[in-house]
Amino acid sequence: MRNPSFQNSSRTALGGIVAALSVTMMLLTTVIPVLSYALPAMAGILLILIVIEVDKKWAFGVYTAVSILALLILPDKEAALMYVFFFGHYPIMKAILEQKFQKVILWIFKFLLFNACVVAAYLVIIYVFQLPFEEMEEYGKWAIWGLLALGNVVFIVYDIALSRLVTLYLLKLRPSVRKLFRF
């Protein structure tokens, strides 16, 4: 039988490594600004490890730590807010939703969650952080709806990619991670 404190130290180490890698990815948005959506998405993907290997509560803890650090130290507030409002918690919420709902209802909840999070993020970006959004007015009143529709298409791809990454992790990478952290 394993020492429970050793398991807790392994979980803490895994959480710390995932948090550090996530914050590092988020900081890369200052160097590579064109990836201000892709890097927060990749940082969120790392939480899959915590969801699978530890549990959802620890994953929320890591998400909270990364969110606070991103908001405090990241110059790219839009990237930080996209992590906070969607990319950081979605892998955890996806695991919760997929345990509770069947396919059609599941996708309804996923789309509601995505759209609510994105709209909330942009409201905070525009009205709290006062980041400029005037260029959307140049493209007409339908530009925002077009971007939201495009975002929903990208969300479908992201959700499917997350599912495939979970499968890849479980089938190929998990034995190495479990051996490394002695789970």
Side-chain angles (χ1 to χ4, degrees):
M1 183 170 187
R2 290 187 182 166
N3 181 351
S5 64
F6 183 74
Q7 281 190 334
N8 279 338
S9 63
S10 294
R11 292 173 182 172
T12 303
L14 181 61
I17 289 169
V18 167
L21 287 172
S22 296
V23 171
T24 302
M25 278 188 196
M26 299 289 289
L27 282 169
L28 284 174
T29 61
T30 59
V31 179
I32 315 168
V34 76
L35 297 178
S36 64
Y37 292 104
L39 290 169
M42 290 169 47
I45 288 170
L46 292 174
L47 287 172
I48 292 171
L49 288 169
I50 306 296
V51 171
I52 293 172
E53 296 301 341
V54 185
D55 64 23
K56 294 169 198 79
K57 287 180 183 178
W58 279 69
F60 273 118
V62 172
Y63 155 72
T64 302
V66 173
S67 296
I68 291 168
L69 287 170
L71 287 171
L72 289 174
I73 65 174
L74 208 66
D76 186 351
K77 296 300 181 202
E78 186 176 9
L81 287 169
M82 291 311 293
Y83 180 86
V84 170
F85 277 90
F86 181 71
F87 291 120
H89 67 78
Y90 184 70
I92 306 164
M93 293 304 297
K94 176 179 170 62
I96 292 168
L97 291 172
E98 288 180 351
Q99 288 177 338
K100 295 185 181 214
F101 299 106
Q102 298 301 320
K103 210 146 190 108
V104 174
I105 306 262
L106 174 65
W107 276 102
I108 291 170
F109 278 118
K110 285 179 178 182
F111 279 117
L112 286 172
L113 177 65
F114 171 75
N115 286 290
C117 290
V118 168
V119 168
Y122 275 102
L123 288 174
V124 170
I125 288 168
I126 294 167
Y127 295 110
V128 175
F129 285 94
Q130 310 244 326
L131 295 177
F133 205 64
E134 293 91 26
E135 53 272 351
M136 288 319 272
E137 293 172 4
E138 289 179 25
Y139 299 109
K141 62 181 179 182
W142 298 107
I144 293 172
W145 294 106
L147 280 175
L148 190 58
L150 182 61
N152 277 278
V153 172
V154 172
F155 165 68
I156 293 169
V157 172
Y158 180 70
D159 185 83
I160 292 168
L162 274 177
S163 296
R164 292 194 176 162
L165 285 170
V166 167
T167 302
L168 172 71
Y169 175 75
L170 290 172
L171 295 177
K172 301 280 184 183
L173 304 173
R174 190 176 195 193
S176 300
V177 171
R178 291 183 72 85
K179 184 177 177 184
L180 179 66
F181 288 96
R182 294 183 178 105
F183 284 123

